[in-house]
Amino acid sequence: EVQLLESGGGVVQPGGSLRLSCAASGFTFSSYAMNWVRQTPGKGLEWVSSVRAGGDATYYADSVKGRFTISRDNSGSTLYVQMNNLRAEDTAVYYCAKSPGSSSHYYFDLWGQGTLVTVPS
Amino acid sequence: EIVMTQSPATLSVSPGERATLSCRASHSLNSYLAWYQQKPGQAPRLLIYGASTRATGIPARFSGSESGTEFTLTISSLQSEDFAVYYCQQYYNWPLTFGGGTEVEIK
């Protein structure tokens, strides 16, 4: 079955760190760009970060640049995001999402179920 | 940053009726626009990409169109399972941006 499974969410104090993981299965992970998208409770969707299939290029929203680092382990079919210096406004459900190509057309054709990150204010 | 503006915020429609959702981009997108459906407690699901191409498994009652920087998602005859929130997203350039969403509710 083709799926993405996020883990690593939880409650972290402001200024703290957290690493989210996304385990992929059912497709050739190394062939596709991968992404993180977040959703504030009750609000809309916000793109966070993307990484090319080969891991050779990464992209970040201004709101997380310098604090979050996206990475991938193609041999283990896992996507990561290291989140440092967390703020209350980072509180959201974080989704892992696959793009249909290796390095272009960054829309999202497969989503995980999400993991909740809470940073109390 | 390309700003995506969706309207209306809420659309009240009776089952079997047609629903028309709009998404306006602040810049030309060269058809690099996707639509998603999200139901409560679920992850979004891809409906349309390339402004008008249905994703795998999406029923034909969903269609997308574009006119310049205006994009439209049409649901020809609403089924009970179609009541949800719909988002548009541009992937023309960075940063990737979403519209604020349109909730389609039962009238």
Side-chain angles (χ1 to χ4, degrees), chain B residues 54-96:
Chain B
R54 278 190 301 278
T56 302
I58 301 303
R61 64 180 181 272
F62 292 91
S63 63
S65 62
E66 65 178 303
S67 176
T69 59
E70 296 272 355
F71 298 84
T72 301
L73 175 69
T74 302
I75 311 171
S76 60
S77 176
L78 270 160
Q79 307 298 303
S80 57
E81 62 266 30
D82 301 335
F83 292 96
V85 180
Y86 293 83
Y87 295 95
C88 61
Q89 177 236 332
Q90 67 82 17
Y91 53 100
Y92 179 74
N93 66 6
W94 306 100
L96 309 178

Side-chain angles (χ1 to χ4, degrees), chain B residues 10-25:
Chain B
T10 304
L11 185 62
S12 298
V13 185
S14 299
E17 289 188 340
R18 182 186 193 91
T20 302
L21 290 67
S22 296
C23 173
R24 174 181 294 175

Side-chain angles (χ1 to χ4, degrees), chain A residues 35 37 39 43-47 50 59-62 95 105-109 111-114, chain B residues 32 34 36 38 41-46 49-50 87 89-91 94-100:
Chain A
N35 314 269
V37 177
Q39 185 168 35
K43 298 286 181 63
L45 299 166
E46 180 188 15
W47 168 75
S50 300
Y59 309 89
Y60 297 94
D62 284 347
Y95 293 103
H105 300 293
Y106 285 83
Y107 60 92
F108 314 116
D109 61 356
W111 296 68
Q113 281 306 298
Chain B
Y32 288 172
Y36 303 88
Q38 187 178 33
Q42 296 185 15
R45 176 177 71 147
L46 176 67
Y49 63 92
Y87 295 95
Q89 177 236 332
Q90 67 82 17
Y91 53 100
W94 306 100
L96 309 178
T97 48
F98 289 89

Side-chain angles (χ1 to χ4, degrees), chain A residues 15-29:
Chain A
S17 298
L18 208 57
R19 188 177 82 156
L20 306 183
S21 301
C22 170
S25 59
F27 63 96
T28 305
F29 180 77

